[in-house]
Amino acid sequence: MTNKSNNGFNTWQKSFEKETKKNFSDAKSETDEGIDIKPVYTRDDLENFSFVENNSLPGQWPYTRGPKASMYTNRPWTIRQYAGFSTAEESNEFYKKNLESGQKGLSVAFDLPTHRGYDSDDDLVMGDVGKAGVAIDTVEDMKILFNNIPLDQMSVSMTMNGAVLPVLASFIVAGEEQGVDKSLLSGTIQNDILKEFMVRNTYIYPPEPSMKIVADIIEFTSKEMPKFNSISISGYHMQEAGADNVLELAYTLADGMEYVRAAMSKGLDVDDFAPRLSFFFAIGTDFFMEIAKLRAARTLWAKIMKNFGAKNERSLILRTHCQTSGVSLTEKDPYNNIIRTSYEALSAILGGTQSLHTNSFDEAIALPTDESARIARNTQLILQNETGVTKTVDPLAGSYFVENLTEELSKKAWDIITEIEELGGMTKAVKAGIPKLKIEESATKKQAKVDSGSRVVVGVNKYKNPKEPSVDVRVIDNNRVRDDQIKKIQAIKKSRDTKAVEKALTNLTNAAKDETNLLIPCIEAIKLRATVGEVSKALEQVYGRHFAKSLSVSGVYGKHFEGDEEFMKVESKIKEFENLNGRRPRVLVVKMGQDGHDRGAKIVATSFADMGFDVDMGPLFQSPKDVAKDAIENDVHAIGVSTLAAGHKTLVPELMKGLKEIDPKSKIIVFVGGIIPEQDYEFLYENNVSAIFGPGSNIIESAEKVIDLISDNLSKE
Amino acid sequence: MELVDKIIKGERAAIAKAITLVESSKDTDQQISRELISELIKKPGKSIRVGFSGPPGVGKSTFIESFGSYLVSQNYKLGILAIDPSSQITGGSILGDKTRMVEISKNPNTFIRSTPSRGTLGGISMGTREASIILDAAGYDFIFIETVGVGQSEIVASNLVDIFTLIVGPGSGDELQGIKKGITEYADIFIVNKNDGELKMEASKTAADYKSALSYYKKLDALEKQVLLVSAIEQTGMEDVIKTINQIIDQNKLKGIFDERRADQLEYWIEEEVKNIIASDITKRLTSKGNIPKYSEKVMKNEMSMYEAVETITKDTLKQ
Ligand code: B12
Ligand SMILES: Nc1nc2c(ncn2[C@@H]2O[C@H](COP(=O)(O)OP(=O)(O)OP(=O)(O)O)[C@@H](O)[C@H]2O)c(=O)[nH]1
Ligand SMILES: [Mg+2]
């Protein structure tokens, strides 16, 4: 007997309607994914499933309930905190302290120059060395990074995609010189290039050669490094860039399929490498949705791998790392972030993750301090030791709601995956820019919801703290780090066998022209002390450097504000401006240096255009000098610098200088948005920055301020 | 005028300000820009103006990045006017051309200006012609004008340039049926872009289709229309493009077509401008006299026919 036909349900429905004064059928709430959440779920909602199997068990097909039979009852998840900053020496100290305090695995964050294949002494990266991760120029740095950390015992995860060849090679050589054979190294290399083109933006070469490099690494590790995960197929960055959970899930699995095909095209059997594929998801604030996502991911991947003809059970099983969402954390009232992160962590655990990173409460301000990192780590230690969540495997199995949500998510994701497959796979979709645009659209909608107040963010658009606490921040002196790195590079270049290095680099360039596995000549070059930058350039000679062309969504933000008073006020100010000045206010939105965080810049650009600004969108990775030229040639009224990777103190003064160099009388005003610790405001104002818009800024309010500032500035003439 | 000297000296900020003036809808700005242009045309430079038109997404900007890089590497100075089609009817525009012209925009020998088209006819914005006069006076060897090719726009765009190029994509041969006499008259060069990777076969086929279609429309003394194959992404075919451009320019100069064309264009713009002024004058008069609502009411009441009303209004409006 089904529930709906039974009397009990009818009675419940009547009571519900009486209490809420709403029809039951109207009492749904729609999620970002477009899923209708009902106020109650019943046994009926467990029926007609095509993905989820109701009576499955953990560690068994379709693995919805977890990759292992015993899960945390046998061994809890791995606490793996992502960290890295400044020099290898300082990061090494930080790692050792963390390991002593209960952290179990390492996860290395490299700085942006390393990610993009530039040495610390390259002019292009002046503002970025050691700022947002640790600077690694040669294998000597890598050896220092793992000083007194035995690589045959410690599992090491490395977030590296663009410069994956020289960095993995350095890791292998560092192990070797520590006396550890590569076959004993355990850990993960991210090596997921497709999502770089979509959202993370630390690519170097164009998509095709990049995919070849991914396949080379899968091939090499599957043969030589049996304990090492060859790739971490990442949806995390998509959600952080604004994707809803369906997009994150679908694109990640579709990426995975593309990597499987790439590896198979090298002649590998699917079971040779599939067991060493791993995944990485974000865990945001939508508590049950996130749990369902992990369960759905495992369910779908098993099906996908079966279709690929996998025979080994381990090939069917999706293992994942998770990180709580950084973008859900706020600059305002930052201690709230501890609470948000705790719930997100619980969600990840109930979803059955294999390892977890929890963010620090100062996420929206700067890299974590020792203190904030300790609280983040303790969030997991408390979950493991005090709450009892490890005692039962997949405790939410059988929940009408969670099972139904798992099925719904699976269905929606599967539809998108099918669509992409019909298009010819993810590489093609990525080249056409479709997934990126979809993610930006989703991000813009989320921003509109927060700015309009229809989504509450505690401490930001409601329940604001009248007395904002001031918090300590980690300060990194990038000039000092850069000088240190340059000295090290110079010393190495002096002592190495230059001829041999040159020959190794030429070999590498030649290897890129045919089908040779590139990791092998890379290891040779790195052994001889070639730098990360030199190795990257040797390949660039053949492959070229990739420049992304950027598409923009339009009308998405404005649509949300139809009839909104504040929005219309800005619109009419702009019309007034146009009548007075003969053109619309024109703003150049830019990203400078190696900072690839483009979510904010893109959202601000599209929203400003919706309100009536003419917005020039600069490409990524511009130098301040190029920005100045652009701004002056287009005679913009203002430049909006979006900066999140802490390069602002170097790059903004350079921009001011650049403007004056071209036009000593330049009247272009500059404002700055993004991650700016309060401590830096004065410095920026002293450098003639007109306004600063930090995380959580309401875009309509920001736009009004910008148009006012531009008008003021013009009236001064 | 101080601005004139600065433009002639090639000062970037002055050129930019001048373009703002000629694009401005403000009366006082237009007054100044008229004076400015009268001064500048007395000091003409030697620029060759090349138009690049084509359907959205065919690779115009990418091509200009590629071809432009080639030209600046040969030490040419290059001015680019990109008319950005992305403007919305309401709201402003997102001008993203520069994300597709990363390399050349860094080069000191380029000047790149994007302008939102604001839905004007053919995507040519107010002031594009004047902007090219400014860049000419400032000493740019080539001036590129990028416009989206839709419907009538080619005619307008082609009247701005010495050489008009249509960029098309592989597979566009099917649209050849739609290519009437018009376009073959206006375009000098047809560039089939995206001649790379999987698209190569298709691109060659398209080029062949164009060649055979164009052979029907051979004009008497003009040079044969050229069809070129390029890949903007792989930077192939660029030498052919410059060679063809130079060839056509040389030929046209030799035969006097070059100046003839400029003279024809001048006539075109004078006519357009006169029409514009008359039209806006007439519109003003129409509204101020209030004849339209008055007579339309009469027509509604069957007091007169629509044709009688039109005739009466026209006479009254044109009466001095
Ligand atoms: C999302 C995110 C990512 C995404 C980026 C996706 C994308 N395509 O943008 C991913 C996951 C890929 C990512 C990666 C990295 N990240 Co990150 N990331 C964030 C995060 C969590 C949120 C940023 C965001 O998008 N917020 C949402 C947008 C809408 O807000 P916003 O950009 O702040 O913009 C608002 C305002 O600032 C303002 N504004 C911003 N720009 C402008 C411009 C104008 C003109 C105006 C008017 C206003 C304005 O208005 C906007 C609306 O309110 C921040 C932490 C945080 N909570 O802020 C870290 C953070 C920026 N990341 C950080 C780091 C270190 C990295 C990495 C370098 C890590 C590494 N070593 O590998 C990588 C590399 C990325 C790269 N290529 O540069 C650090 C930077 C440290 C620092 N500044 O000292 C941060 C601060 C986290 C931390 N505390 O460690 N990241
Ligand atoms: N395969 C291939 N793709 C190209 C080539 N040139 C451009 N493209 C791609 O075509 C798309 C559009 O390129 P754009 O240069 O922006 O085209 P456009 O004609 O300027 O577009 P609009 O200004 O929007 O009308 C981009 O995805 C380019 O990467 C080429 O030579 N080969
Ligand atoms: Mg274009």
Side-chain angles (χ1 to χ4, degrees), chain A residues 124 428 547-555 571 578-584 586 588 602 605-622 626 629-630 632-635 662-663 665 667 717, chain B residues 2 6 12-21 23-26 29 62 65 86 88-100 102-116 118 140 198 233:
Chain A
L124 286 171
K428 278 217 171 106
F547 290 104
K549 53 205 177 282
S550 112
L551 305 166
S552 297
V553 297
S554 108
E571 273 184 322
E578 189 180 8
N579 291 336
L580 198 69
N581 295 286
R583 61 170 176 152
R584 288 166 186 263
R586 189 163 175 172
L588 171 63
K602 295 300 278 292
T606 179
S607 316
F608 270 43
D610 283 358
M611 283 177 258
F613 286 89
D614 280 337
V615 182
D616 289 73
M617 188 75 212
L620 283 174
F621 316 124
Q622 268 189 306
D626 302 339
K629 179 174 184 276
D630 251 19
I632 285 175
E633 287 175 359
N634 288 289
D635 195 22
I662 305 179
D663 181 14
K665 287 193 213 134
K667 287 255 161 57
E717 281 181 16
Chain B
E2 199 194 336
K6 287 186 172 168
R12 224 172 273 283
I15 301 169
K17 287 269 181 259
I19 298 180
T20 302
L21 282 172
E23 285 177 350
S24 172
S25 58
K26 206 162 90 177
D29 286 349
T62 315
E65 159 90 352
S86 69
Q88 312 168 13
I89 317 260
T90 61
S93 311
I94 298 190
L95 304 151
D97 301 285
K98 268 137 340 218
T99 66
R100 273 147 253 183
V102 177
E103 277 303 315
I104 42 169
S105 68
K106 290 181 194 165
N107 195 295
N109 281 330
T110 63
F111 186 104
I112 307 178
R113 175 74 166 232
S114 318
T115 300
R118 295 260 175 273
Y140 286 87
E198 291 168 13
I233 285 202

Side-chain angles (χ1 to χ4, degrees), chain A residues 72 77-80 279 320-323 348-349 352-357 380:
Chain A
Y72 313 140
W77 67 91
T78 306
I79 302 176
R80 191 189 292 280
F279 286 81
T320 190
H321 172 68
C322 285
Q323 177 165 344
I349 297 322
T353 191
Q354 280 54 68
S355 59
L356 181 64
H357 166 105
Q380 295 194 51

Side-chain angles (χ1 to χ4, degrees), chain A residues 431 549, chain B residues 54-63 85 97 100 146 148 193-196 199 230-234:
Chain A
K431 276 179 73 179
K549 53 205 177 282
Chain B
V58 64
K60 298 178 292 296
S61 303
T62 315
F63 174 80
D97 301 285
R100 273 147 253 183
E146 178 190 342
V148 183
N193 187 29
K194 308 199 183 181
N195 179 32
D196 49 43
L199 298 168
V230 306
S231 164
I233 285 202
E234 292 182 353

Side-chain angles (χ1 to χ4, degrees), chain A residues 82-85 108-112 115-116 131-134 159-161 190 195-196 198-203 235-242 280 323-331 337 357 359-368 436 439-440 443 447 450-451 460 474 476 587-591 594-605 607-608 615 620-621 639-648 671-677 691-699 702-703 706:
Chain A
Y82 185 41
F85 54 88
V108 182
F110 295 97
D111 73 351
L112 286 165
H115 272 298
R116 300 255 306 143
K131 268 290 187 190
V134 58
T159 298
M160 180 48 66
N161 305 276
Q190 197 162 71
K195 63 92 176 57
E196 296 292 333
M198 272 190 260
V199 289
R200 194 169 173 277
N201 297 325
T202 66
Y203 42 75
Y236 170 79
H237 314 84
M238 301 179 196
Q239 183 178 139
E240 289 285 87
F280 177 21
Q323 177 165 344
T324 57
S325 159
V327 82
S328 69
L329 306 186
T330 59
E331 184 200 36
N337 294 333
H357 166 105
N359 287 319
S360 303
F361 68 83
D362 47 6
E363 170 76 14
I365 300 168
L367 290 183
K436 184 171 176 62
I439 291 172
E440 285 175 12
Q447 182 77 33
V450 174
D451 285 351
V460 173
R474 181 182 295 284
I476 291 154
V587 178
L588 171 63
V589 176
V590 296
K591 297 287 310 173
Q594 298 306 310
D595 174 13
H597 293 89
D598 61 355
R599 176 180 179 164
K602 295 300 278 292
I603 291 180
V604 168
S607 316
F608 270 43
V615 182
L620 283 174
F621 316 124
I639 303 172
V641 177
S642 179
T643 163
L644 284 89
H648 51 274
F671 48 92
V672 176
I675 301 286
I676 315 285
I692 299 169
F693 303 99
S697 299
N698 179 305
I699 294 186
S702 311
V706 167

Side-chain angles (χ1 to χ4, degrees), chain A residues 331 587-592 595 600-601 604 608 624 627 637-656 659 668-678 680-699 702-703 705-706 709-710:
Chain A
E331 184 200 36
V587 178
L588 171 63
V589 176
V590 296
K591 297 287 310 173
M592 294 189 289
D595 174 13
V604 168
F608 270 43
V627 170
H637 295 108
I639 303 172
V641 177
S642 179
T643 163
L644 284 89
H648 51 274
K649 282 174 83 175
T650 312
L651 298 168
V652 172
E654 283 292 314
L655 171 62
M656 299 299 186
L659 286 170
I668 297 172
I669 58 175
V670 174
F671 48 92
V672 176
I675 301 286
I676 315 285
E678 216 180 80
D680 295 350
Y681 275 44
E682 208 172 301
F683 173 87
L684 291 177
Y685 288 134
E686 276 168 9
N687 277 275
N688 291 323
V689 165
S690 302
I692 299 169
F693 303 99
S697 299
N698 179 305
I699 294 186
S702 311
K705 185 147 186 201
V706 167
L709 282 169
I710 292 175

